[in-house]
Amino acid sequence: MTADQLHTTATHCPYCALQCGMLVGGTQGAPTITGDPRFPVNQGGLCVKGWTAGTTLAHPERLLTPLIRGAGGHLEPADWDTALDVVARRITEVQGRFGRDAVGVFGGGSLTNEKAYLLGKFARVALRTKNVDYNGRFCMSSAAAASIQALGLDRGLPFPLEDISHASVILLAGGNVAETMPPIMQYFERQQAHGGTLIVADPRRTATAQWAARHLSLRPGSDLALANGLLHVLVRDQLVDQAYISERTEGFEDLRRLVSTYWPERVEGLTGVPEAEIVETARLLGRAPSAMILTARGPEQQAQGVNNVFGYINLALALGMVGKPHGGYGCLTGQGNGQGGREHGQKADQLPGYRRIDDPSARQHVADVWSVPPSSLPGPGISAFELIDSCGAEDGVRALLVMGSNVAVSAPDSHRVERRLRALDLLVVSDFFVSETAALADVVLPVAQWAEEDGTTTNLEGRVILRRRAFDPPAGVRTDLDVLTALAACLGTKRYFSYGSSREVFDELGRASRGGPADYSGLTYERLDAEDGVFWPCGATDGPGTPRLFMDRFPTATGRARFHAVSHQPPAEDRDASYPLYLTTGRVLAQYQSGTQTRRIAELNEFAPEPVAEMHPTAARLARVSNGERVTLTTRRGAATFTVKVTRAIREDTVFVPFHWGGEQSVNRLTNPALDPTSRMPEFKVCAVRVDPLRSEAPE
Ligand code: SF4
């Protein structure tokens, strides 16, 4: 055994919601990373992002000192005492002038459970502002809202990943997991080896769609029409599980009436999926011993995202699969802690344990844990995009603290977002690099990275895991938890924020979550270590976790799941003569989210150095552009220039651009901020676009 191996730490990847186990050794300047063969989720597998994750630790652009914007308008190095003092003083000034809610807090789905929890507590107890929300609003909020209303609870996958291996037929809607989380493919490979069938619904023939047995190339924005059409066939061919519907659900008759109007020929017109494929897919699902419906960002990131997910949950319920082994409905969460990050209070309407902030008993419970009167806790605030869009307004947010998010790249209509951020009286960003958002800040606070601090995350299965520290943070860098406790002290609320370690924060989180839907009170760091993670809810230290939900009843008022009879609506912005194509966005294998980390890794930039616009040869011919040419994409919000890739792996009416880049390369300068009425999810996945050769003037 080498010296490196002697010092190897079993920890987890900083990126996506698979949270692959990895072994980190070597030194901070030259870390060695291998997949952890013992961790059951990835069983040794990693993707290229995981292999290269150590590169950011000693990166030359790493922030090692706080920065304050000086009189000359530039960010200049400062010491921590000065930086924290400036932040606290200016927050106090803003709140004195404009009220408590004039200070906003913006978190992220990559923050550990401890950070998400403490950020929510910091907002409600130290700042006493109602305005706290996070970037998960742009990620899984539609699936979360639909799951809560239909099933009574939101846990991305209500079953272990291993169920995928044993499902007879899986319909995956709008997810390209072969590129975004490659180690998950081992489960689909095992499913295939067992004779199972994977069907992918996506406007693009993605790597996942190419791998699948069937591909439904649906029009962007038509998911609900497809789901209702599939259910029409299931009802018509008597393939629904009538006994399950009678015993475990309510509301089916309204839905049966509604889907009677979604006959296959009509649905082909709405979705572009041939009638025969709709019928064959429904019959495959309806005749399968076990059928699973999975959704990802495709159907969810739309202004009718919640209704789209209702449509897919309706299917799983009608098939009688929810709560049975190897079937049911699940959402493939995207961000590293997208699941835990939406459970513990960094959301505008939420308290820890997935409790509602407008529930008097929840307020009492959490206030008792925090030793504050319930009346001191603010009520619900506004959602992520609305919070950002209110920045600088007379009655809006005047000072914003951003932690673990790069909204200048990840929010829709990003030109407008930049303008709003510039209009603030104070913008404070904690990050490891000067991200596009940090570049606009008045104060930047340098914080520790994933391998430099202990903390827990909750993966896409609802498995709570312990991410271990492999190295100490570099000199000059503090953890986010340290930043929050230090700021709380500067604001005169130190007595509520006395923690010696992340473990103490986690233990308090457990008490605050006790009895809530996402109950972590039976979890300890020791258990998470010893058991390779534990599935929530887990309310007793000597009790098991809950790998599979909904087995006997649903946590709704009646104990039954609810069907939702919802009709297809066209996208918020449809194609027309001026903007004749659909624009859709997504991820690529070698970059991650807003790219703050991955765009700084040379190996990843070799794979994906810039955003490339993919379009079909027919669309390219009509737009008079050819492969490799620079083109201008124009929507009602602006224009941006990309290199075009002409490919038959996309619908003729659709252009795809990945969203990992900022500034002039940001496709989110073009996307539509129309919001879902319930989840407040922006419509990232569909808007109208025009493509022009760069050599000609793009229209206004
Ligand atoms: Fe695993 Fe996701 Fe990390 Fe890739 S990015 S190694 S799939 S956790």
Side-chain angles (χ1 to χ4, degrees):
M1 187 173 276
T2 67
D4 274 1
Q5 286 168 319
L6 278 173
H7 293 97
T8 290
T9 303
T11 187
H12 295 273
C13 178
Y15 299 121
C16 86
L18 208 53
Q19 285 296 283
C20 292
M22 51 172 52
L23 303 173
V24 179
T27 64
Q28 201 155 14
T32 59
I33 292 181
T34 53
D36 184 349
R38 282 184 45 259
F39 188 62
V41 173
N42 57 310
Q43 297 165 24
L46 294 178
C47 78
V48 65
K49 298 184 289 290
W51 291 113
T52 56
T55 310
T56 56
L57 296 173
H59 195 281
E61 293 172 29
R62 178 90 192 260
L63 274 171
L64 298 174
T65 180
L67 304 173
I68 298 177
R69 196 167 297 281
H74 301 294
L75 286 170
E76 293 165 2
D79 62 67
W80 272 98
D81 286 348
T82 305
L84 293 171
D85 197 53
V86 166
V87 173
R89 181 168 47 77
R90 292 184 62 184
I91 282 175
T92 305
E93 284 169 10
V94 166
Q95 289 195 313
R97 246 183 104 196
F98 300 103
R100 293 189 181 281
D101 294 335
V103 176
V105 174
F106 200 94
S110 62
L111 298 176
T112 61
N113 291 319
E114 291 82 348
K115 295 180 189 181
Y117 167 79
L118 205 63
L119 195 64
K121 179 178 175 181
F122 178 81
R124 275 67 178 248
V125 175
L127 298 173
R128 294 185 61 189
T129 178
K130 68 178 184 180
N131 285 322
V132 51
D133 214 72
Y134 81 123
N135 66 16
R137 191 71 80 157
F138 304 153
C139 207
M140 286 75 56
S141 59
S142 292
S147 294
I148 289 169
Q149 290 184 46
L151 308 175
L153 188 67
D154 157 46
R155 197 183 83 187
L157 296 182
F159 43 74
L161 273 169
E162 186 54 32
D163 273 22
I164 289 174
S165 307
H166 302 285
S168 309
V169 177
I170 299 175
L171 172 61
L172 167 58
N176 183 15
V177 289
E179 285 203 59
T180 55
M181 47 177 70
I184 202 175
M185 292 308 289
Q186 61 191 292
Y187 295 95
F188 291 99
E189 285 164 6
R190 287 202 284 274
Q191 186 226 2
Q192 193 182 60
H194 293 147
T197 302
L198 174 65
I199 305 163
V200 170
D202 200 302
R204 301 165 62 215
R205 192 164 171 74
T206 60
T208 315
Q210 288 173 35
W211 191 90
R214 286 167 180 261
H215 172 217
L216 308 179
S217 179
L218 82 173
R219 185 170 291 136
S222 68
D223 287 88
L224 183 52
L226 177 65
N228 283 350
L230 292 170
L231 188 52
H232 173 99
V233 178
L234 289 172
V235 172
R236 186 193 68 187
D237 292 1
Q238 299 182 357
L239 291 171
V240 296
D241 187 336
Q242 200 54 59
Y244 179 97
I245 291 169
S246 302
E247 288 163 20
R248 300 209 56 191
T249 71
E250 56 197 14
F252 188 64
E253 281 314 307
D254 287 346
L255 180 59
R256 185 201 296 269
R257 271 193 295 280
L258 178 96
V259 300
S260 68
T261 62
Y262 285 80
W263 57 90
E265 188 184 7
R266 177 185 175 219
V267 173
E268 176 176 330
L270 293 171
T271 63
V273 178
E275 185 180 340
E277 290 182 23
I278 295 166
V279 173
E280 285 165 19
T281 299
R283 288 177 178 164
L284 272 173
L285 287 165
R287 291 171 180 159
S290 54
M292 182 181 287
I293 314 287
L294 300 173
T295 65
R297 303 302 82 70
E300 296 165 21
Q301 289 182 322
Q302 297 183 31
Q304 56 173 340
V306 173
N307 283 354
N308 288 341
V309 178
F310 279 147
Y312 287 115
I313 292 176
N314 287 340
L315 272 180
L317 289 171
L319 290 163
M321 290 292 162
V322 182
K324 292 184 183 166
H326 317 144
Y329 164 76
C331 150
L332 294 170
T333 297
Q335 293 193 80
N337 195 29
Q339 182 65 54
R342 66 185 191 254
E343 298 166 1
H344 296 297
Q346 61 173 334
K347 213 162 156 247
D349 55 358
Q350 188 195 68
L351 289 173
Y354 229 139
R355 290 181 157 97
R356 293 188 59 88
I357 201 167
D358 57 4
D359 173 353
S361 63
R363 293 171 66 86
Q364 182 70 57
H365 174 84
V366 174
D368 287 348
V369 174
W370 289 350
S371 303
V372 299
S375 58
S376 72
L377 299 178
I382 51 179
S383 75
F385 187 78
E386 292 156 306
L387 192 159
I388 298 293
D389 208 35
S390 81
C391 285
E394 189 60 34
D395 58 350
V397 166
R398 309 293 300 233
L400 184 68
L401 170 62
V402 179
M403 186 167 275
S405 188
N406 186 10
V407 282
V409 174
S410 60
D413 198 358
S414 53
H415 260 316
R416 175 168 153 189
V417 168
E418 275 176 45
R419 284 197 301 275
R420 302 316 321 156
L421 295 177
R422 287 183 196 280
L424 284 163
D425 297 338
L426 173 68
L427 175 61
V428 182
V429 175
S430 74
D431 211 322
F432 345 115
F433 296 110
V434 181
S435 67
E436 285 78 359
T437 307
L440 302 172
D442 301 288
V443 181
V444 184
L445 304 173
V447 289
Q449 294 192 41
W450 58 284
E452 298 164 351
E453 54 188 346
D454 290 333
T456 64
T457 60
T458 305
N459 83 345
L460 77 177
E461 306 164 289
R463 183 195 298 258
V464 187
I465 56 178
L466 180 58
R467 198 194 269 167
R468 281 281 183 204
R469 177 169 68 170
F471 308 108
D472 290 333
V477 163
R478 294 190 181 183
T479 67
D480 286 311
L481 295 180
D482 287 344
V483 169
L484 290 173
T485 52
L487 273 178
C490 294
L491 291 165
T493 55
K494 182 178 179 178
R495 64 188 180 284
Y496 303 111
F497 294 86
S498 298
Y499 307 98
S501 64
S502 60
R503 174 196 298 262
E504 289 181 15
V505 179
F506 186 75
D507 290 346
E508 186 182 285
L509 178 164
R511 293 195 296 280
S513 75
R514 185 188 305 279
D519 189 337
Y520 282 34
S521 61
L523 304 181
T524 62
Y525 273 21
E526 287 73 22
R527 277 196 74 176
L528 302 183
D529 227 3
E531 299 176 34
D532 286 330
V534 179
F535 292 81
W536 70 257
C538 180
T541 48
D542 58 353
T546 316
R548 197 171 277 118
L549 298 167
F550 313 136
M551 300 290 280
D552 304 315
R553 72 183 302 279
F554 292 93
T556 59
T558 59
R560 292 166 175 262
R562 297 187 193 107
F563 284 105
H564 287 79
V566 282
S567 300
H568 162 76
Q569 302 292 329
E573 181 181 275
D574 217 334
R575 296 181 301 158
D576 57 22
S578 303
Y579 302 96
L581 297 168
Y582 292 117
L583 172 64
T584 193
T585 66
R587 290 165 52 190
V588 296
L589 168 64
Q591 298 288 350
Y592 180 72
Q593 303 297 69
S594 74
T596 304
Q597 293 137 287
T598 53
R599 280 187 278 124
R600 289 180 164 83
I601 298 175
E603 296 97 317
L604 300 182
N605 281 333
E606 271 180 39
F607 281 114
E610 59 166 325
V612 171
E614 295 179 15
M615 62 191 300
H616 191 275
T618 303
R621 194 177 66 249
L622 291 172
R624 305 179 318 284
V625 301
S626 49
N627 191 45
E629 191 176 335
R630 297 287 288 169
V631 299
T632 302
L633 268 56
T634 308
T635 69
R636 290 185 172 83
R637 287 149 297 282
T641 301
F642 304 98
T643 301
V644 74
K645 175 183 172 187
V646 177
T647 171
R648 292 190 178 279
I650 192 166
R651 288 177 56 88
E652 291 184 9
D653 56 9
T654 304
V655 180
F656 168 82
V657 183
F659 64 81
H660 309 289
W661 288 265
E664 299 295 322
Q665 296 182 309
S666 170
V667 71
N668 273 331
R669 292 190 166 193
L670 313 182
T671 47
N672 188 356
L675 301 180
D676 181 285
T678 302
S679 66
R680 317 308 284 163
M681 169 74 85
E683 184 133 279
F684 290 104
K685 282 294 188 264
V686 52
C687 68
V689 68
R690 177 184 178 86
V691 180
D692 295 285
L694 186 58
R695 56 184 178 272
S696 70
E697 276 300 305
E700 284 302 308

